[in-house]
Amino acid sequence: MPLTVAALYKFVPLPDVEALRGPLEALCEGLGVTGTLLLAREGINGTVAGRSQAIEALLAELRTGPLFGGRLRDLDCKLSQAEAAPFRALKIRVKREIVTFDAGATDATKAGIPVAPEDWNALLDTEGLLLIDTRNAFEVALGTFPGAVDPGITRFSAFRDYVDGLDPAAHPHVAMFCTGGIRCEKAGAYMRARGFADVRHLEGGILRYLETVPDSENRWRGDCFVFDGRIALGPALVERPDHAPETLR
């Protein structure tokens, strides 16, 4: 029976992050869920897998249970399937950031404007648009949107150097995308803080676009790398395991 994979995140103040780790770990272990969840004072991020009922129970607890007290009620989550277990173990970690960027200096709540997958294609036709793929170079090589700029980075924190080399006046309209949306919230907030007036990002990331937009309208080219044993996903979030892992790093 296929497993359900949940990629989730939310930027939300969690001042009690240290106290949350143990109960969250116990909850996941009790449900037989594997994968990685990162906790920080700025929120939660991660990907986990398990039987469909277990993932449903976990998401219900995260969103409405007493552990987080409703702070994750509108948790962003993308669901897909895996024929085999994509993770070997469970890891619950407390970090400084839920996505490593600049040690928490950038406030992701000040990100750019989210654009729904259904409206993304129209945005791509904007004249003079600077379209940026915020992911690492090996991810970009596997698939991207035509016309997107590859900053050529090997770690997300290096995106700051790329932005610092751009002139905001030369790029009045900016759009960006990443796997699930989390990197764009940090990247967009950073760009806005440096004077870029119109910054937008693909809501829910590439995964939600592939899940939502029909093949006849799909502008994505290639596959989307995912950080688990499936390696990559295609349209409708179908597994694409025919990529050698050693070529993707």
Side-chain angles (χ1 to χ4, degrees), residues 5 11 14 17 19 33 44 56 119 121 124 126 129 138 162 187 196 229 233:
V5 182
F11 286 102
L14 297 177
V17 62
V33 169
I44 185 172
E56 288 176 5
D119 301 324
N121 288 351
L124 296 183
T126 302
L129 179 71
F138 78 88
Y162 166 73
F196 292 84
L233 302 179

Side-chain angles (χ1 to χ4, degrees), residues 42-201:
E42 68 177 4
I44 185 172
N45 175 35
T47 305
V48 292
R51 298 298 183 187
S52 60
Q53 298 91 334
I55 295 299
E56 288 176 5
L58 174 61
L59 293 176
E61 174 60 35
L62 293 178
R63 286 172 170 150
T64 62
L67 181 57
F68 286 89
R71 289 175 291 180
L72 303 184
R73 186 172 298 277
D74 56 349
L75 178 73
D76 184 281
C77 182
K78 274 77 65 178
L79 298 177
S80 56
Q81 302 295 311
E83 292 301 322
F87 303 104
R88 295 181 179 178
L90 172 68
K91 299 177 183 178
I92 310 293
R93 296 175 174 172
V94 174
K95 308 278 284 186
R96 180 176 292 184
E97 299 175 274
I98 57 173
V99 56
T100 302
F101 191 60
D102 58 2
T106 296
D107 182 359
T109 63
K110 298 180 180 179
I113 301 172
V115 178
E118 299 87 345
D119 301 324
W120 183 249
N121 288 351
L123 177 64
L124 296 183
D125 294 331
T126 302
E127 185 175 354
L129 179 71
L130 173 61
L131 179 64
I132 308 173
D133 193 328
T134 68
R135 302 171 302 152
N136 296 329
F138 78 88
E139 298 174 76
V140 179
L142 204 62
T144 193
F145 285 104
V149 173
D150 174 12
I153 60 178
T154 58
R155 63 187 188 283
F156 182 48
S157 58
F159 187 79
R160 292 177 290 142
D161 294 331
Y162 166 73
V163 172
D164 292 346
L166 299 176
D167 178 6
H171 304 289
H173 304 291
V174 176
M176 59 181 65
F177 58 92
C178 59
T179 306
I182 186 170
R183 282 179 276 189
C184 286
E185 295 205 34
K186 277 284 181 83
Y190 186 83
M191 293 193 77
R192 290 188 64 207
R194 271 143 188 80
F196 292 84
D198 181 16
V199 180
R200 302 168 188 259
H201 63 266

Side-chain angles (χ1 to χ4, degrees), residues 136-139 154 225-228 231 244-249:
N136 296 329
F138 78 88
E139 298 174 76
T154 58
F225 179 85
V226 288
F227 293 89
D228 60 58
I231 301 176
E246 62 270 17
T247 67
L248 300 176
R249 298 288 183 177

